[in-house]
Amino acid sequence: MAKSLALFNPNSNFPTLTKPYPNPRNPHHGPRIVSMAQNQSYWTSIEADIQTYLKKAIPIRPPESVFEPMHKLPLAAPKTTAPSLCVAACELMGADRSHAMAAAAAVHLMHTAAYLHENLPLTDRTRPKSEVQHMFGPNIELLTGDGIIPFGLELLARSMDSAQNSPDKILRVIVEITRATGSQGMVDGQFRELTIVNDDDSDIIEYVIKKKEGELHACGAACGAVLGGGAEEEIQRLRNFGLYIGMARGMIRKNKSGLFKEKIEELQGLAVKELDGFEPEKVELISSLVELELESEPEPNLVVA
């Protein structure tokens, strides 16, 4: 187990899991129900704040042919917890969530661009799920995906100010995001995904999950820690936490045959261990991402009212 998982640790050596993380579905953990509901509300509030920020940052204005898809497509993209993790990591460091809002929005925009490029209509790519309904033509969706990438970086650049986000912090966040979403990150995962023949290609599937979800969550957590004023050790530990959580959540989505059951449990345990040493009263909220239920949703429908 540890040997197969070592591929996905940014430091190449996974810490040893000393005890399994409690199973949230275990009936003996009934007293946690209220707390779990509160934690769910916490993540919902972050997601709502990110959506509000994006709506204000990308209003529909002339020319509508450009800004209508720029506004609608990011709001209709499938959910990922990486942007919310960015905000939660910032708050874990004791900073206000507003410090990380531009970075969280940028992470979401990068995720949206990747999704749009993967799901363009009229391509020869074979998709495992039913076709997505598209609100715009392939040319518009392609160009919008291209356009929101630099726009995300623009949001970050505009968020610089001496009171909250210094130029040094913003520059570091830009590097984190471009590395995680570029040719050695999500793009690499997209390319390798094309080589998957069937569900038995577990090594390739794990690699794709690492690149597309693990490293995006690692990026989100690290960016939040940077903007929250975290020390280098704290930034690295939260990066590890994000990597483990992102991979676990990606594997849960791919775990219909039970292929990744043991790895999911170990990754969740490793994620929790990375939070040792942080202030206990602040850890509960961010650690609840381990237990946060994944919504069973069909392929997103990009037709928005």
Side-chain angles (χ1 to χ4, degrees):
M1 174 68 65
K3 183 177 180 180
S4 62
L5 287 175
L7 173 63
F8 307 108
N9 189 330
N11 297 320
S12 76
N13 294 313
F14 265 53
T16 302
L17 180 60
T18 56
K19 62 179 180 179
Y21 190 74
N23 183 350
R25 293 185 174 85
N26 189 322
H28 297 295
H29 292 280
R32 294 180 58 85
I33 293 176
V34 174
S35 178
M36 288 174 66
Q38 293 171 340
N39 293 337
Q40 177 71 58
S41 177
Y42 171 71
W43 294 104
T44 300
S45 74
I46 293 179
E47 183 177 332
D49 285 349
I50 295 171
Q51 293 284 301
T52 298
Y53 181 92
L54 282 167
K55 288 178 182 178
K56 292 180 179 179
I58 322 176
I60 299 177
R61 58 184 176 84
E64 285 80 3
S65 60
V66 173
F67 286 101
E68 183 181 4
M70 285 275 290
H71 177 86
K72 288 187 173 181
L73 288 172
L75 299 176
K79 296 176 182 178
T80 172
T81 47
S84 296
L85 180 56
C86 177
V87 175
C90 181
E91 291 190 324
L92 180 64
M93 295 294 98
D96 188 83
R97 68 174 55 176
S98 63
H99 295 200
M101 204 55 61
V107 171
H108 179 78
L109 290 173
M110 302 300 175
H111 161 72
T112 299
Y115 177 79
L116 292 174
H117 288 158
E118 285 185 323
N119 291 278
L120 289 173
L122 306 178
T123 70
D124 60 358
R125 178 172 180 186
T126 301
R127 302 180 186 87
K129 297 182 180 180
S130 60
E131 284 292 320
V132 179
Q133 296 186 38
H134 297 267
M135 66 174 80
F136 301 103
N139 55 337
I140 295 296
E141 293 191 8
L142 173 62
L143 291 173
T144 300
D146 292 340
I148 61 179
I149 292 173
F151 182 74
L153 301 179
E154 179 185 342
L155 286 179
L156 281 169
R158 283 163 37 193
S159 71
M160 293 182 193
D161 67 69
S162 57
Q164 294 184 355
N165 296 332
S166 68
D168 287 345
K169 286 182 179 179
I170 295 300
L171 179 59
R172 180 166 180 179
V173 166
I174 289 174
V175 171
E176 293 276 355
I177 291 177
T178 52
R179 282 179 176 172
T181 60
S183 60
Q184 297 183 53
M186 290 182 68
V187 173
D188 182 22
Q190 290 174 316
F191 173 76
R192 291 294 294 274
E193 190 171 19
L194 296 174
T195 68
I196 296 174
V197 177
N198 53 56
D199 291 341
D200 294 330
D201 293 336
S202 59
D203 290 342
I204 300 177
I205 293 172
E206 289 180 25
Y207 184 84
V208 169
I209 290 171
K210 177 210 173 187
K211 289 294 178 181
K212 293 181 62 176
E213 302 200 49
E215 291 185 5
L216 187 67
H217 281 75
C219 168
C223 289
V226 168
L227 295 171
E232 288 302 321
E233 180 182 356
E234 293 171 323
I235 294 168
Q236 184 58 46
R237 296 188 72 177
L238 284 171
R239 179 184 284 109
N240 293 345
F241 174 82
L243 179 72
Y244 300 144
I245 285 297
M247 289 186 62
R249 294 177 71 79
M251 287 181 179
I252 288 170
R253 290 191 178 91
K254 300 288 187 181
N255 200 41
K256 294 179 181 178
S257 62
L259 180 65
F260 298 115
K261 182 177 183 298
E262 292 183 0
K263 292 181 181 180
I264 291 168
E265 292 175 354
E266 184 163 357
L267 284 164
Q268 289 174 325
L270 292 172
V272 172
K273 287 187 67 177
E274 291 294 339
L275 299 178
D276 289 347
F278 289 98
E279 294 183 31
E281 62 272 18
K282 294 182 179 180
V283 163
E284 180 180 355
L285 289 173
I286 195 169
S287 66
S288 66
L289 191 57
V290 174
E291 298 179 357
L292 195 66
E293 293 288 344
L294 288 168
E295 296 179 2
S296 298
E297 297 179 337
E299 187 74 15
N301 185 336
L302 290 187
V303 176
V304 178

